[in-house]
Amino acid sequence: MSLNTKINYFFILLFSAQIYAQQTSIKNISTDDGLPTNIIYDLTQDEIGYLWMATHAGLVKFDGNDFSQINKLKTNSIFIKNKIIYAGLENGLFIKNKSKEQIFESKKVLKIFSNHINIFVGTTEGIYLLKENSLQPIKINSILDFSIINDLIFYENSFYIASNNGLWKLDDLLKPKNIYKVLEENIISLEKFEDRMIAASLQNGLYIIDGKSVVQKITTLENITAVKKLKNEIWVTSKSDGIEVFVLPSFSFKQKINKYNSLNTNSIANVFKDNLNTTWIATNKGLSKIITTNQFTSFEKKPTIHFEHLAVNHQYKDSLLFNKKIKFLNSDNNIAITFKSVNLLKPKKIQYRYQLVNGFSPWSKNNTVQFPNLTSGRYQFQVQSKIEDKKSNMKSLSFTVEAPFYQKAWFIFTCIISLLLIGYLSLDYYLRKIHKNHQEKLNKLKVKNRVLSLEQKALQLQMNPHFIFNVLNGIKALGNSGKTEELNTTISKFSVLLRGILNNSRKEEITLQEEIKLLKNYIELEQRMSSKSFTYDIETNLNNIDADEILIPTMLLQPFIENCIQHAFQKNTLGKIIIKFEVKHHFLNFLILDNGIGIRESKKRKENSNHISVALKVFKERIENITTKNSFSIDEIIEDSVIKGTKIWFKIPLKTDY
């Protein structure tokens, strides 16, 4: 380049710088102004208006006046989606979701990208996918899986990956079918413009790409760090040569911005234009702010206000800010609310006013208000901000402080109802107890009276008067005939029978052995005195229990045996009685079988018919008092439609004397 050419170029730069200086105002912000560090790598803005910075000293938030350091981990890149902050670290990904913070480990993160569904992370060793609670590496090919991923973008239904091993075009990141290498260069940054892609090479300028083809190459700075589209301009930043600006759509050169005309350094990491058209420049010597001369005069946008923090009893409860209905306990009545409007252009001109119960407060710069010892009730907190004469819309927060439980209607009502209920239940319990005691005494008397009545009836029915007369007449006949030995035997058996019946009538229970002995005496006397011939057999199956140890109520079987002898047997046939005792399932079963005329025919006989029916009725009631119903049955034995006799069965609970 000739000397004249260099001189002309110098004057062009000087003239551009003068024009640029007339149109813009540049302010440099450094650690002297509150920045935690002067080394800044990336910039972005959230929906509220905060400027977020990825810096050498961590993640930083800026409201135009004050800096807030979120963490102290070196941060390389930053991305915001759905109010969630994603920050790329030296060894992983930092995520801030409201008050919740997480870190997921990976290689150094240079780029964070979202395709509306997934979050992808470009690192110094391939691409990772944020899935559930971890970062998982994506397998693409042997080159990209180990490449430095500088940038990642989705454009025209394709993914473009800028890496140190070239520019790649893929149809899909998770399951790619078509992978195409567009450039061999070390591509640092990507940007979209209309239907084309702008790829910034580290050393060889800009490439304008249409699909897979390079349609234009633009010579620009060396050591490029980023290419950004700011409205109708392309800004190229360099690590060593400042900034170069091109006008769209022609890509014609507009100006240079560097330490020779406005900045304090030529090492630029990134640029960003906020919602007020202010351009922010991330450098290695702090943060630079470029404001055009007409920004102050043309600013017409009214501020917006949001709730930042809600503290209850000096503890943050920010999650409650997202509830439509907020309820506090009576003890949670010390409430502090922090609200904020962010304006990076005029941060010191923001003022606030609020009201809760007694009208609006005066305008002030205080953005936190505390309400100690609020009484119970419903509240609507309203707040508004303004910048000069521009006022924000009103922001409201409704909440309720509950009354103490002892003042609540439900508690008072519950106490009254409880007292009435306790009184009623106490009276009811007392009356029920009296009634129960009376009823128990009455039932005991009824049972005792019933048992005594049944036992008296059983005793009365135990021996038929005809039987006694027959025995006495038989004894008389034996005496008249001179059969002394037989007479003595009969008298002895009869006396034993009478003594046993009289003795047992005073007892509630006797042993099974005693019952069997009395039955034998009675049956053998009937055999001697009755005009009907019959035999008998007594069988026991007691499961190895001694008959002397089994207890049964007194006077159970004799009425049935008498009925068999007197009314079931025919005079011209040999009768047979079988008596069985069996222990089964904790019950003592009784079975009486005869080969007589059957129970129905027996009832038709007139003689002593009343005695028989009364005996059966008394016996059935005794059994039902001893055990449950359906424990007694009388059936006829029928074979080939012919009545062969009667079967009587009943059971009582097994009881022993040990």
Side-chain angles (χ1 to χ4, degrees), residues 214-226:
V214 176
V215 296
Q216 185 179 354
K217 182 179 178 181
I218 300 172
T219 302
T220 182
L221 308 173
E222 295 183 352
N223 298 318
I224 293 175
T225 54

Side-chain angles (χ1 to χ4, degrees), residues 114-381:
S114 173
N115 66 337
H116 305 295
I117 300 174
N118 298 310
I119 297 291
F120 297 97
V121 175
T123 74
T124 54
E125 193 174 293
I127 300 174
Y128 286 71
L129 170 67
L130 178 61
K131 189 174 183 181
E132 296 177 353
N133 290 321
S134 65
L135 282 173
Q136 301 178 4
I138 296 175
K139 302 293 183 182
I140 298 176
N141 61 29
S142 58
I143 299 176
L144 280 174
D145 292 347
F146 296 95
S147 295
I148 298 173
I149 308 300
N150 296 311
D151 205 352
L152 183 62
I153 202 168
F154 183 75
Y155 184 63
E156 296 291 334
N157 297 319
S158 297
F159 291 91
Y160 287 85
I161 301 173
S163 75
N164 65 323
N165 287 312
L167 175 64
W168 301 74
K169 181 181 179 182
L170 289 75
D171 61 337
D172 189 26
L173 282 179
L174 297 177
K175 295 181 179 179
K177 295 180 180 178
N178 299 314
I179 303 174
Y180 181 79
K181 194 171 187 179
V182 181
L183 289 170
E184 292 286 349
E185 304 280 346
N186 182 0
I187 304 300
I188 297 299
S189 181
L190 299 173
E191 186 59 277
K192 294 179 286 187
F193 170 65
E194 294 181 350
D195 59 347
R196 296 182 180 184
M197 178 74 62
I198 304 171
S201 169
L202 179 63
Q203 300 294 340
N204 295 323
L206 305 181
Y207 292 91
I208 313 303
I209 298 170
D210 185 358
K212 299 179 182 179
S213 303
V214 176
V215 296
Q216 185 179 354
K217 182 179 178 181
I218 300 172
T219 302
T220 182
L221 308 173
E222 295 183 352
N223 298 318
I224 293 175
T225 54
V227 57
K228 287 292 179 70
K229 179 180 175 293
L230 304 184
K231 289 200 170 182
N232 61 341
E233 297 175 341
I234 288 294
W235 288 51
V236 182
T237 63
S238 168
K239 192 175 182 180
S240 58
D241 296 330
I243 302 170
E244 202 163 66
V245 182
F246 296 87
V247 178
L248 294 174
S250 63
F251 288 95
S252 59
F253 172 80
K254 178 182 179 181
Q255 65 189 37
K256 287 181 179 287
I257 306 173
N258 52 40
K259 67 180 181 179
Y260 302 111
N261 54 28
S262 56
L263 299 177
N264 59 357
T265 179
N266 272 349
S267 182
I268 312 299
N270 219 322
V271 292
F272 177 78
K273 189 179 286 289
D274 67 16
N275 56 8
L276 299 176
N277 290 327
T278 302
T279 302
W280 300 86
I281 304 173
T283 77
N284 67 339
K285 290 188 177 181
L287 181 67
S288 293
K289 177 170 64 172
I290 302 177
I291 306 171
T292 59
T293 54
N294 60 354
Q295 263 187 284
F296 285 101
T297 57
S298 64
F299 175 69
E300 297 291 341
K301 186 177 181 182
K302 66 180 182 180
T304 59
I305 191 168
H306 75 285
F307 293 112
E308 267 203 334
H309 298 296
L310 176 64
V312 181
N313 292 343
H314 308 291
Q315 301 216 345
Y316 284 118
K317 302 284 185 181
D318 292 347
S319 59
L320 295 177
L321 292 171
F322 301 95
N323 296 350
K324 291 183 178 179
K325 295 182 179 180
I326 304 175
K327 288 186 177 181
F328 298 115
L329 299 176
N330 183 257
S331 58
D332 297 335
N333 60 354
N334 193 334
I335 298 170
I337 303 172
T338 301
F339 37 87
K340 185 79 172 178
S341 283
V342 178
N343 187 289
L344 299 176
L345 193 61
K346 299 179 179 180
K348 294 183 178 180
K349 293 187 177 182
I350 302 173
Q351 290 184 306
Y352 307 92
R353 67 172 182 168
Y354 66 87
Q355 71 169 356
L356 186 65
V357 289
N358 297 321
F360 276 100
S361 66
W363 289 100
S364 72
K365 293 184 179 181
N366 183 24
N367 68 329
T368 298
V369 59
Q370 187 165 354
F371 302 105
N373 303 318
L374 284 175
T375 58
S376 59
R378 294 182 179 178
Y379 296 92
Q380 185 178 39
F381 176 78

Side-chain angles (χ1 to χ4, degrees), residues 74-85:
K74 181 183 176 183
T75 307
N76 306 299
S77 57
I78 189 168
F79 176 73
I80 300 176
K81 180 182 179 182
N82 299 329
K83 299 181 181 180
I84 302 174
I85 313 297

